[in-house]
Amino acid sequence: MELQVQHALNWIEKTNEKIQTNKDYLSALDRAIGDGDHGLNMARGFQEAVGKTTSSSYTSVSDIFKDVAMTLMSKVGGASGPLYGTAFLKMSMAVKGEDSVSHERFTKGVEEAINGIIQRGKAKEGDKTLLDVWTPVLRMLQEQSDFEADSLENTAKSAMESTKDVMAIKGRAAYLKERSIGHLDPGSVSSYYLFASLAEVLKEGE
Ligand SMILES: Nc1ncnc2c1ncn2[C@@H]1O[C@H](COP(=O)(O)OP(=O)(O)O)[C@@H](O)[C@H]1O
Ligand SMILES: [Mg+2]
């Protein structure tokens, strides 16, 4: 299947729903190893993003991702705004030129998003950041030739859960060194919501 404009709109809306529902949980996770604002940051950013996408009309997935990127970058304080913003901007650029998005193009988009996140945040996989979810998801996408909702959901979930046992090297949690072990990375949990929402959209589109 291809990711159509309506799928992309649904993806952003579903992500926002999960983030609003789990806003306090995300902030509690961030309170344990950061400054406690991740829920607020993500809730504000995605609420604004949905405000933008639902009040606009689109002919391409690329334009949706671009509006999401611009909104997240301008409305979200904290590290996560520019990082998610960069991710959506890179995905927008990677899928530009066609109205809908093939699995191959989307995979390329996730790869570019990760490159952008690394360029901005200088973290790598294993540093207990949202890259610990994005990178296994990319590997899974690269191993497959079409969208597979269940593997997407499972991969993102187990990757998110794995951040618990890891010591933070980047982000605020890195100040805690060993004491960051035993806590989930907040940004990995919000990234799990993002990919779990995409998995739901893909299932509905089948
Ligand atoms: N340098 C980085 N590279 C990648 N992701 C990062 C980096 N720094 C922080 N993050 C992600 O951002 C999340 C924290 O976001 P948030 O609380 O909104 O911003 P802040 O850390 O500025 O308070 C972390 O859980 C982590 O996943
Ligand atoms: Mg924070």
Side-chain angles (χ1 to χ4, degrees), residues 26-27 30-31 33-39 41 77-80 172 186:
L26 289 172
S27 284
D30 194 32
R31 217 171 297 125
I33 56 170
D35 58 355
D37 62 354
H38 190 59
N41 288 341
S80 56
R172 285 179 201 280

Side-chain angles (χ1 to χ4, degrees), residues 96-205:
K96 208 175 161 72
E98 312 208 14
D99 302 351
S100 59
V101 180
S102 66
H103 175 268
E104 193 182 347
R105 274 293 192 102
F106 183 76
T107 303
K108 191 76 197 148
V110 171
E111 185 178 356
E112 296 293 329
I114 290 172
N115 290 339
I117 294 169
I118 292 172
Q119 211 170 27
R120 256 205 119 103
K122 313 277 182 244
K124 58 182 189 318
E125 187 180 10
D127 286 355
K128 199 179 180 103
T129 72
L130 43 80
L131 282 173
D132 293 2
V133 167
W134 281 74
T135 314
V137 163
L138 173 63
R139 277 197 296 272
M140 182 230 82
L141 289 168
Q142 287 171 336
E143 282 163 12
Q144 294 172 344
S145 55
D146 201 355
F147 290 109
E148 288 190 31
D150 288 331
S151 356
L152 179 59
E153 148 81 30
N154 295 338
T155 303
K157 187 168 192 202
S158 61
M160 173 273 280
E161 287 166 346
S162 303
T163 64
K164 192 164 185 172
D165 306 323
V166 173
M167 182 172 81
I169 306 292
K170 280 278 186 271
R172 285 179 201 280
Y175 297 120
L176 296 178
K177 300 206 172 77
E178 288 82 5
R179 281 184 292 135
S180 65
I181 299 171
H183 302 275
L184 291 171
D185 170 54
S188 294
V189 177
S190 57
S191 292
Y192 162 64
Y193 295 150
L194 182 76
F195 291 116
S197 300
L198 179 59
E200 284 177 25
V201 169
L202 293 170
K203 279 190 178 173
E204 286 169 8

